[in-house]
Amino acid sequence: MCGIMGYVGPQQAGPILIDGLRRLEYRGYDSSGIAVGNGTIRVQKAEGKIKNLEALLAEDPPTGSIGIGHTRWATHGAPTDANAHPHADPSGEFVVVHNGIIENFQDIKDELAALGAEFASETDSELLAHLVAREYDGDLAEAVRKTVALSQGAYAMVVMSTREPDTIIAVRKISPLVIGLGDGETFLASDIPAILHHTRDFLVIEDDELVIVTADGATIETISGEPVDREPIHIDWDAAQSEKGGYEHFMLKEINEQPDVITETLRGRLNADGTVGLEGLEFDDDYIAGLDRVWITACGTAYNAGLIGQEIFRRVLRLPANVEYAHELRDADPIIGPKELLIAISQSGETADTLAAARIAPDHGARMLAITNVVGSTLSRYADDILYTRAGPEISVASTKAYMAMLIAQYLLALRIGAARGTVDEAHARAVALGLHQLPRAVREVLSRESEVLAAAERIVDADDVYFIGRGLDYAIALEGSLKLKELSYLHSEAMPAGELKHGTLALITDGVPVIVLLTQRHVYNKTISAVQEVKARGGEILAVAYDTDTEIEKYSDTVMRIPDMNDLLAPVAAVVPLQLLAYHVARMRGHDIDQPRNLAKSVTVE
Ligand code: F6R
């Protein structure tokens, strides 16, 4: 995800901007740049790592005590020097950095092009510089306000101009932005860690606010120009904690980021009527209508995400679908034909097994669609079609928010396929769209119930074995809950379809053995309850994940982790959250290294 920096004060801006960008590196980026002013504004930018930018600056150091900087994570246009930020209007007098997506960028671009504008990049962000320049009439804040009114989407934007050489204007529409208040100098950044070593006093900018930044401080207004009175907050965290946004571990931070990840993955792609626009998919409706089968291949958590896709494609779209572990598929000599689509899912886009399995598609004349989090990853380069998950960089080795984004991406893909094949009617698509848009709120609600998870964690922290059961989509979530628990807590755990328990594993259920049961699939509820009764009859302990309205489960369970009522098809999104938190808390209670659990790598590049 892009990072933003800004500085105005008595010092040289260049080194401060570079230092801040370095501290934002953990967000992930593929190019960087700065603009520094001293009457004129000089933009310097480079593809790749910040050291490439530093090499440019070493040859030709910028001078000036006001500036803005950016690390870019490509969305519109490849990671190149030209597409890197900052972007200037053709006169070079208005310079912009931007984090987020302008949804109506094509309309704006067409309008500007019709008036004769020429563009130096392929980005949506450059258009903002053109608009600010066009709207400027002696008041930079007003020009920015007008630009915001013209641009739909969620973003943060920071603007400087030779016309008002002592001022930086910034706007927040969802993407984060903070102002650091120094003594005669003011800093601006995407998040606190970038500038915490300069100051501990911050103004946190809220959505739809505009801030006028000078060396003397910052004035906040609503985007419509109403003054906002905001007290600065004082940060006591140390530097290491602050990188984690005040959370004890990256994993907890990333679990808590999931509502925003859902919003980000949906952004600009899903309409209220359930139609979707997925920018990286090159195939057309005829291709989808002619599909005989979908294969999904992945490893680990990504495989577990693929199981959700498999169930949705089969049960809802009535499209044959098979999910296969990549390391199995690649050597299985599968029968794949040109009328079949292979979907490879990988957070990193670098997992060697998944890359090898993905290569099967071209060998059989099939298309390969990559669902990945990393722009420009090897998997994305192999792919015919790409669906980026937009989870942002995931630092914790155990995957949480990237898994969440994989689920959302697959729902979007299912809506696209269902519409083209006529297997999802308009009313159903509309209902799913509404449900998807409500998910961030539902996940926030689940996150607020951490005490229920802590109670469950206390019950299993000293167990030798833990079992997870569920049916259908609940089984897929059981697998993910079990994987998270074992990789973090090093407890032995196993997940199985609830109906399978009685075919053997029940032998292991004795007094006090914990069984975690998922109960979000109403059409198989009673059958899952039968498995619960089998467990209870042998003295096992039941820890349930159930809807708020499920009163039946209280008869059998020792503890319940509740999720709000919702469409069963979307319930995995909410139901996985208590299980992620459960793994986290059990590992914490057992004193383990949470962000770097033993024997697990973030990107497994060996087969
Ligand atoms: C689990 C985990 C691993 C990865 C697996 C695939 O928390 O992180 O199981 O999911 O190694 O990685 P990607 O998605 O990068 O292909």
Side-chain angles (χ1 to χ4, degrees):
M1 309 295 274
C2 308
I4 285 178
M5 262 302 290
Y7 174 77
V8 48
Q11 305 187 58
Q12 282 298 320
I16 292 176
L17 296 174
I18 290 289
D19 173 72
L21 294 182
R22 278 218 170 280
R23 291 170 197 267
L24 291 168
E25 267 188 307
Y26 74 91
R27 298 166 70 89
Y29 69 101
D30 44 48
S31 56
S32 62
I34 61 170
V36 173
N38 61 349
T40 58
I41 300 177
R42 182 100 157 281
V43 176
Q44 292 167 293
K45 48 195 192 174
E47 183 190 338
K49 293 289 166 201
I50 291 174
K51 67 174 170 21
N52 300 350
L53 176 62
E54 281 177 310
L56 278 182
L57 304 184
E59 267 174 36
D60 193 4
T63 51
S65 58
I66 179 167
I68 57 182
H70 191 265
T71 47
R72 173 171 187 255
W73 169 282
T75 53
H76 287 86
T80 59
D81 288 356
N83 288 336
H85 297 215
H87 291 286
D89 78 303
S91 74
E93 289 186 285
F94 298 88
V95 178
V96 168
V97 295
H98 162 240
N99 177 0
I101 292 175
I102 306 297
E103 288 164 10
N104 59 335
F105 94 104
Q106 198 57 52
D107 294 346
I108 298 175
K109 192 164 189 173
D110 293 347
E111 187 197 322
L112 289 168
L115 297 170
E118 289 186 6
F119 304 102
S121 76
E122 303 159 273
T123 63
D124 52 351
S125 314
E126 184 190 347
L127 307 179
L128 296 172
H130 284 251
L131 286 179
V132 174
R134 189 184 78 184
E135 300 299 327
Y136 184 78
D137 188 17
D139 181 345
L140 188 57
E142 186 56 24
V144 171
R145 238 178 247 122
K146 288 182 174 157
T147 299
V148 171
L150 294 168
S151 358
Q152 292 158 9
Y155 53 84
M157 159 168 68
V158 182
V159 184
M160 63 188 286
S161 170
T162 53
R163 307 285 185 97
E164 297 186 20
D166 303 320
T167 308
I168 295 172
I169 307 288
V171 170
R172 171 180 168 152
K173 280 181 84 181
I174 299 190
S175 291
L177 201 58
V178 296
I179 306 295
L181 303 170
D183 189 10
E185 55 185 353
T186 311
F187 306 82
L188 187 153
S190 297
D191 67 29
I192 289 172
I195 46 182
L196 190 63
H197 54 302
H198 293 295
T199 176
R200 290 187 165 266
D201 296 313
F202 287 89
L203 291 167
V204 178
I205 307 305
E206 306 276 353
D207 287 343
D208 296 316
E209 287 179 351
L210 177 145
V211 54
I212 302 164
V213 181
T214 65
D216 297 327
T219 312
I220 308 176
E221 299 174 356
T222 64
I223 202 67
S224 49
E226 304 296 315
V228 173
D229 197 12
R230 167 110 8 98
E231 281 300 306
I233 54 166
H234 186 78
I235 301 290
D236 293 322
W237 319 323
D238 63 27
Q241 269 179 311
S242 74
E243 253 204 337
K244 297 175 190 138
Y247 290 100
E248 208 179 328
H249 299 99
F250 280 112
M251 182 181 179
L252 192 58
K253 174 172 183 263
E254 287 161 4
I255 290 173
N256 278 278
E257 280 171 358
Q258 292 181 117
D260 293 340
V261 166
I262 298 171
T263 305
E264 194 60 39
T265 305
L266 292 176
R267 185 179 322 294
R269 293 168 160 177
L270 175 64
N271 303 313
D273 62 2
T275 54
V276 292
L278 299 175
E279 62 278 6
L281 305 192
E282 307 290 336
F283 47 63
D284 57 18
D285 284 1
D286 288 343
Y287 168 79
I288 300 176
L291 273 180
D292 284 344
R293 174 176 302 274
V294 166
W295 294 82
I296 303 171
T297 194
C299 302
T301 283
Y303 170 89
N304 293 341
L307 279 166
I308 303 281
Q310 171 182 262
E311 171 90 359
I312 304 271
F313 290 139
R314 284 181 182 169
R315 188 147 71 85
V316 185
L317 304 187
R318 313 303 301 162
L319 174 61
N322 292 66
V323 62
E324 303 282 348
Y325 284 116
H327 34 88
E328 287 292 309
L329 185 69
R330 56 164 307 185
D331 295 320
D333 196 12
I335 306 160
I336 296 182
K339 291 173 82 178
E340 299 181 25
L341 172 67
L342 176 66
I343 302 172
I345 309 180
S346 171
Q347 186 286 130
S348 61
E350 302 297 343
T351 299
D353 289 322
T354 309
L355 293 177
R359 301 298 273 177
I360 293 173
D363 294 348
H364 291 75
R367 288 186 83 88
M368 193 275 277
L369 187 163
I371 297 183
T372 182
N373 197 34
V374 180
V375 176
S377 58
T378 308
L379 187 67
S380 73
R381 292 202 302 272
Y382 286 177
D384 299 299
D385 308 284
I386 311 175
L387 186 45
Y388 284 117
T389 48
R390 302 189 191 154
E394 193 176 56
I395 311 294
S396 167
V397 173
S399 188
T400 54
K401 65 173 184 170
Y403 169 83
M404 179 64 78
M406 289 168 185
L407 299 193
I408 302 299
Q410 289 179 98
Y411 287 122
L412 290 171
L413 184 61
L415 281 171
R416 170 83 170 85
I417 293 179
R421 292 176 73 86
T423 41
V424 176
D425 64 27
E426 216 185 300
H428 193 182
R430 203 175 269 280
V432 172
L434 181 64
L436 283 166
H437 281 306
Q438 288 170 339
L439 285 175
R441 192 174 338 135
V443 170
R444 255 181 220 113
E445 179 64 38
V446 179
L447 289 167
S448 73
R449 302 174 179 185
E450 212 170 344
S451 57
E452 294 174 353
V453 176
L454 280 166
E458 297 283 358
R459 284 184 176 272
I460 64 170
V461 64
D462 294 320
D464 294 323
D465 310 285
V466 179
Y467 297 89
F468 287 75
I469 58 171
R471 281 176 179 257
L473 291 173
D474 279 339
Y475 167 53
I477 295 299
L479 278 169
E480 178 56 10
S482 170
L483 180 64
K484 282 287 99 63
L485 187 67
K486 61 182 120 169
E487 65 194 8
L488 287 154
S489 72
Y490 317 149
L491 265 174
H492 168 248
S493 87
E494 251 184 77
M496 70 198 63
E500 188 61 16
L501 196 61
K502 60 184 177 297
H503 293 288
T505 310
L506 214 42
L508 300 176
I509 307 296
T510 54
D511 251 5
V513 171
V515 177
I516 298 176
V517 58
L518 287 115
L519 286 153
T520 72
Q521 301 300 299
R522 291 170 172 96
H523 66 297
V524 286
Y525 183 88
N526 289 338
K527 292 184 174 167
T528 308
I529 287 290
S530 302
V532 166
Q533 283 169 327
E534 289 157 14
V535 171
K536 286 307 282 180
R538 282 146 189 93
E541 267 195 32
I542 291 290
L543 295 82
V545 176
Y547 288 129
D548 280 338
T549 47
D550 180 351
T551 46
E552 173 80 4
I553 187 61
E554 273 159 23
K555 290 188 212 148
Y556 311 102
S557 61
D558 295 278
T559 189
V560 188
M561 292 167 273
R562 294 286 183 181
I563 63 167
D565 273 32
M566 60 176 64
N567 181 332
D568 290 6
L569 290 176
L570 302 179
V573 167
V576 76
V577 175
L579 302 186
Q580 295 168 335
L581 287 170
L582 184 69
Y584 171 82
H585 283 297
V586 173
R588 190 181 50 76
M589 289 170 183
R590 290 166 71 105
H592 294 169
D593 184 345
I594 289 182
D595 286 330
Q596 295 190 332
R598 72 182 182 208
N599 302 343
L600 185 64
K602 191 69 201 156
S603 167
V604 184
T605 52
V606 291
E607 290 178 13

